Amino acid sequence: QVQLVESGGGLVQAGGSLRLSCAASGSILRINAMGWYRQAPGKQRELVASIPTGGMTNYADSVKGRFTISRNNAKNTVYLQMNSLNPEDTAVYYCNAAIQDSRRLPYEYDYWGQGTQVTVSS
């Protein structure tokens, strides 16, 4: 089955940087759009950034100019480079991917990572 595994979260001081990675594995035929979401304490989950197959990225207003999403299709991996972090960025970050599973053709399904904690201290 398809699985998304995230890494790169941790504790960082305000103004610092982190790079999140999410690698997909399993019976993958094709990965379409990929993205990152986050859920802060007491908040609803929100879209942080997304990147479709064509590579035209989209960002939440709160992270524009600070975060960069990218992908390596050969490695089935999506990245989120986070710079100039502030305490408001503290959240569990989840990656998401729309994937065609070779075992579930012809449909596309959404898959989610387990989440990785990002904590930004002042």
Side-chain angles (χ1 to χ4, degrees):
Q1 187 62 21
V2 172
Q3 180 177 251
L4 303 182
V5 179
E6 304 175 22
S7 62
L11 175 65
V12 65
Q13 293 182 337
S17 298
L18 286 173
R19 191 189 193 201
L20 306 183
S21 299
C22 178
S25 61
S27 52
I28 298 170
L29 178 64
R30 176 182 175 86
I31 301 178
N32 296 315
M34 306 185 81
W36 289 92
Y37 292 74
R38 68 185 181 187
Q39 186 168 18
K43 302 289 186 179
Q44 292 293 113
R45 186 178 63 187
E46 64 175 350
L47 176 66
V48 177
S50 63
I51 180 168
T53 302
M56 297 183 66
T57 57
N58 180 64
Y59 298 93
D61 289 340
S62 60
V63 306
K64 286 181 179 178
R66 300 189 298 121
F67 291 10
T68 302
I69 188 171
S70 61
R71 62 192 288 174
N72 185 327
N73 291 329
K75 296 183 177 181
N76 293 331
T77 300
V78 62
Y79 307 94
L80 185 67
Q81 178 66 47
M82 304 185 294
N83 299 325
S84 301
L85 286 163
N86 60 67
E88 294 182 356
D89 295 315
T90 295
V92 177
Y93 285 70
Y94 299 90
C95 72
N96 167 262
I99 297 174
Q100 292 175 282
D101 185 341
S102 64
R103 298 178 182 176
R104 304 176 73 184
L105 292 175
Y107 305 108
E108 176 187 277
Y109 295 89
D110 283 338
Y111 293 88
W112 293 88
Q114 79 285 356
T116 184
Q117 177 69 48
V118 172
T119 302
V120 184
S121 62
S122 60

